[in-house]
């Protein structure tokens, strides 16, 4: 079965989920590349960049150095968190969209049942349930990896923030 056919089987909400999946995948890939390129020992190492910036400010008094240090840490923190809101958003919205697809699929199935009256066809019911289950599964398939990536990236950020604070203690 082709991907387009699979998405169509889940109904229109699956198309929204498919678009969300594409954006989520791009965001995960971009952040993974960023964190790989800025890992310890690389030319874009966050701590090395912080040390370099602080060495430029060595002639300042202690209060100004601290101000510059905090400003640089804030910039680096923002840079590391860029776009992670979308992964968090996706991990919370995708299951809700999946449930919405479940409800619309079941509404469609019961609507067909009510129209059929006494001549109930099991295929009418199973088609709506099929749509309902596909959107639920698709929502979870999107939500779980996006949450995993979000939490992994947040853990990397926590470790880097710890290294930044240790550098601050070291230079004092």
């Amino acid at each position: 079965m082709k991907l387009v056919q699979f998405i169509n089987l889940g109904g229109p909400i699956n198309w929204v989920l498919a678009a969300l999946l594409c954006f989520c995948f791009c965001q995960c890939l971009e952040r993974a590349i960023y964190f790989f390129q800025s890992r310890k020992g690389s030319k874009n190492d966050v701590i090395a960049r912080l040390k370099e910036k602080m060495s430029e400010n060595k002639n300042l008094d202690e209060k100004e150095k601290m101000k510059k240090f905090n400003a640089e840490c804030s910039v680096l923190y923002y840079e590391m968190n860029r776009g992670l809101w979308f992964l968090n958003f996706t991990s919370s919205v995708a299951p809700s969209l999946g449930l919405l697809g479940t409800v619309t699929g079941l509404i469609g199935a019961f609507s067909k049942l009510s129209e059929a009256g006494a001549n109930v066809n099991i295929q009418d019911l199973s088609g709506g349930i099929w749509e309902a289950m596909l959107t639920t599964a698709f929502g979870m398939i999107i939500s779980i990896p996006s949450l995993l990536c979000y939490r992994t990236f947040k853990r990397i950020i926590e470790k880097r923030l710890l290294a930044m604070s240790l550098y601050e203690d070291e230079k004092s």
Side-chain angles (χ1 to χ4, degrees), residues 8-127:
N8 275 336
L9 286 174
I13 300 215
N14 254 13
W15 283 103
V16 174
L17 286 167
L20 198 60
L21 175 63
C22 291
F23 287 123
C24 183
F25 176 76
C26 291
Q27 185 61 40
C28 286
L29 185 62
E30 187 273 333
R31 288 286 84 192
I33 291 169
Y34 167 79
F35 285 118
F36 179 76
Q37 289 178 338
S38 64
R39 71 192 181 284
K40 187 175 182 177
S42 69
K43 75 174 189 171
N44 293 321
D45 180 1
V46 174
I47 305 303
R49 286 173 47 201
L50 182 62
K51 288 178 180 179
E52 182 182 317
K53 282 284 190 183
M54 293 315 297
S55 69
E56 294 171 4
N57 299 322
K58 62 185 171 187
N59 297 331
L60 299 174
D61 67 352
E62 206 54 43
K63 186 177 178 182
E64 284 297 313
K65 279 185 187 178
M66 204 57 171
K67 189 176 177 182
K68 293 280 187 182
F69 178 80
N70 288 335
E72 189 61 29
C73 284
S74 295
V75 167
L76 290 172
Y77 179 75
Y78 177 78
E79 182 181 298
M80 289 187 287
N81 273 294
R82 187 180 60 229
L84 290 186
W85 68 269
F86 185 73
L87 294 178
N88 192 24
F89 172 80
T90 301
S91 68
S92 4
V93 168
S96 299
L97 285 172
L99 289 174
L100 178 62
T102 300
V103 171
T104 58
L106 291 175
I107 289 172
F110 287 118
S111 173
K112 287 180 183 177
L113 280 177
S114 70
E115 289 172 7
N119 300 325
V120 174
N121 184 353
I122 194 69
Q123 287 181 319
D124 292 338
L125 182 61
S126 64

Side-chain angles (χ1 to χ4, degrees), residues 128-168:
I129 293 173
W130 170 253
E131 177 182 327
M133 294 299 107
L134 277 179
T135 55
T136 302
F138 203 40
M140 298 307 281
I141 287 168
I142 295 167
S143 176
I144 293 168
S146 67
L147 183 60
L148 179 67
C149 288
Y150 175 76
R151 295 276 170 94
T152 301
F153 295 147
K154 280 302 217 181
R155 182 70 182 135
I156 292 169
I157 292 169
E158 286 174 10
K159 287 181 178 180
R160 290 182 180 183
L161 289 175
L162 177 63
M164 290 169 145
S165 69
L166 291 175
Y167 170 71
E168 176 186 12

